[in-house]
Amino acid sequence: MDLIGIIDKLKDTRDLTNEEWEALLDTEDEEALSYLSSCARQVREKIYGKAVYIRGLIEFTNYCKNGCYYCGINCKNTNAERYRLSDEQILACVREGYELGFRTFVLQGGEDPYYTDDKIVSLVRAIKQMHPDCAVTLSIGEKSEESYRAFFEAGADRYLLRHETASPDHYRKLHPENLSWENRMNCLKTLRGIGYQVGCGMMVGSPYQTTEDIISDLRFIKEFHPDMCGIGPFIPHKDTIFKDEPAGTLEMTLKLLSIIRLLVPDVLLPATTALGTIDPMGREKGMQYGANVVMPNLSPVMVRGKYALYDGKICLDSESAECIKCLSARVASVGYEIVVDRGDHKNA
Ligand code: 5AD
Ligand code: FES
């Protein structure tokens, strides 16, 4: 089968053989890639129209007890300047974000034991009380079912936990012994069972990632049918053991965005900050390949640089108001439109 045939098959059956996956993942054929992206745009526009949803990202702590090899804020990095935002600072970000049109707030942080369940519960409650019309998303890592339930009962709507890789062997090469692939996958299932809208995802081009690993990721994503899927290129951080590893590529990330759009037509798919970091037009291109979400940073500018998962992160000096203006223009430049909306998942 030729590449156009493979893409048609993907669109119609959402299932490919190993050989077909390999052909599609390996190709650099421009005609095929342009066809792939146009199919992805078509599917995205049928479900979500021209709307781009925004999520206000509040990076509230860069303390982390884990030692993920790829991540710049891992616990072994003594060069990282650690910070925590106070409740008042977090709520000020929310207030400002609301005025700028955000209706989803994402509380993201390292796995920081300082934030007990009670502290998270009271933060979630405070945000929901201030703005009952907003969605609250948590992205604070692996917790017990009990904790996940407590956050959900406090009003948290969504949870982002990238699966990182669907291959247990690959997982082992990216994480220290005390972290387990099984636990991560179980967390995702637990979150789903509790009733959260759930986001998974992985890095593109992370060290040791093979085509086979990517095929496993795609099969997992199709089967899990996440509400959201965050993918972005791996970018090395200077204080990690992966500092000399090559970054993931723009081309592979774009291709995977389109493929994921076709595999899970109704998925919420962000054009990530990492994509905007490896290419100045990365986020615009992401939207042209099927992404329909952007997640600008609402954290105070004075801590932005400290939440450094990778080197070269964009928007470090831009106030939230500047970012949203900049992003609106970027989104408009590719024919889409930022909307004031919670941006809930729509069932196709
Ligand atoms: N490059 C790109 N993405 C990274 N993440 C962590 N470190 C890096 C890096 N060096 C991603 C992980 C994590 C998410 C919050 O950020 O996938 O789940
Ligand atoms: Fe932050 Fe452009 S999106 S400056």
Side-chain angles (χ1 to χ4, degrees), residues 283 296-297 304 314-320 322-328 330:
R283 288 168 300 175
N297 201 320
R304 293 243 186 133
I314 52 172
C315 299
L316 294 189
D317 303 317
S318 312
E319 292 292 345
S320 309
E322 289 171 57
C323 275
I324 192 71
K325 231 170 110 185
C326 165
L327 266 179
S328 300
R330 287 171 183 271

Side-chain angles (χ1 to χ4, degrees), residues 49-64:
K50 298 278 187 186
V52 169
Y53 300 132
I54 49 175
R55 321 292 195 200
L57 191 61
I58 304 173
E59 296 159 339
F60 68 99
T61 172
N62 74 348
Y63 282 84
C64 190

